[in-house]
Amino acid sequence: MTTARDLMIVVMDVTPMRPVGQGDLSLALAGAEAIDLVTTGAVALDGDLLVPGPPTAPDDPLLDVAASSLVRAAPYESVEDWLWRRGRGLASAYATRLEADGLAVRPRLRRLRVRSGRPEPVDSPDRRHATERWTADEPVLAALAAAVGLREEPADGFTDLPDDDAVETVLAAVGDALAELEAVRQRRSIEDAAFDNIWRAP
């Protein structure tokens, strides 16, 4: 069980405060993986650079892929670059993995008897573990969930975060990446609106 897997299960299980975009979730999942790799000693941070430790073989298949994909030659990779590279399509990868492991299913339409809609978590030890972390307001999971819009961030921030500069660096990078993604969306929306206005002009 990993933070990224727990986050994915919670996203499937909880009604969000606002719609959770796949891009936002993918960036947060990449951040969760980075935090898990840091806390297990698979990688350390030198400033904002991810410096791999000895090769590891995490039990979780996707975290294993993440560990295997670390840049192992200097000058290494920044956390921000990791989020954008590793995060590409990561939400879909986690949803597919949970379905493949029997931890999530797509609801069936009664008449057509085909699976449709987004996956939903089934009752399992993994779901119970994720739910326990969520209901206990475990600070790392709570911070990532707030970043993607599942919950509000406390006015004074998450004060119970681990006293670990690396974790704080990763969470800050996730917040910056999400802000950058939103800025790109807004810029595209403005450009699209301007383009539409050109065609509508008399």
Side-chain angles (χ1 to χ4, degrees):
M1 299 177 199
T2 67
T3 300
R5 182 173 285 224
D6 287 345
L7 176 61
M8 190 70 201
I9 290 173
V10 169
V11 167
M12 292 178 173
D13 217 12
V14 173
T15 301
M17 293 183 58
R18 62 177 186 270
V20 178
Q22 291 295 295
D24 301 72
L25 179 55
S26 291
L27 288 169
L29 289 168
E33 288 184 338
I35 289 171
D36 282 341
L37 291 172
V38 165
T39 56
T40 58
V43 69
L45 258 63
D46 181 6
D48 69 338
L49 297 178
L50 294 165
V51 181
T56 60
D59 292 335
D60 183 84
L62 285 172
L63 193 60
D64 188 24
V65 172
S68 300
S69 69
L70 290 166
V71 175
R72 295 189 171 274
Y76 304 112
E77 186 175 35
S78 70
V79 176
E80 180 182 1
D81 288 344
W82 159 269
L83 294 176
W84 290 108
R85 178 176 65 84
R86 175 62 184 160
R88 191 172 294 115
L90 197 56
S92 294
Y94 268 91
T96 300
R97 183 76 241 183
L98 289 175
E99 286 188 80
D101 290 346
L103 299 174
V105 296
R106 294 181 185 273
R108 293 181 181 274
L109 296 177
R110 290 183 179 179
R111 292 184 179 179
L112 300 179
R113 294 187 178 180
V114 296
R115 297 190 177 196
S116 178
R118 69 175 192 173
E120 297 177 354
V122 301
D123 186 33
S124 66
D126 293 68
R127 183 185 187 184
R128 290 191 288 275
H129 179 265
T131 300
E132 287 173 4
R133 288 185 72 181
W134 175 252
T135 55
D137 285 335
E138 192 280 321
V140 171
L141 182 62
L144 290 166
V148 297
L150 282 183
R151 57 168 294 171
E152 289 185 351
E153 181 174 343
D156 56 350
F158 292 96
T159 56
D160 295 330
L161 284 168
D163 186 17
D164 187 328
D165 290 341
V167 171
E168 292 183 4
T169 297
V170 173
L171 289 174
V174 170
D176 290 344
L178 290 172
E180 183 178 343
L181 182 59
E182 181 58 27
V184 170
R185 287 196 188 109
Q186 291 182 5
R187 186 165 61 249
R188 286 179 179 171
S189 176
I190 292 170
E191 290 171 353
D192 289 345
F195 183 78
D196 288 343
N197 287 335
I198 290 174
W199 287 103
R200 290 173 185 166

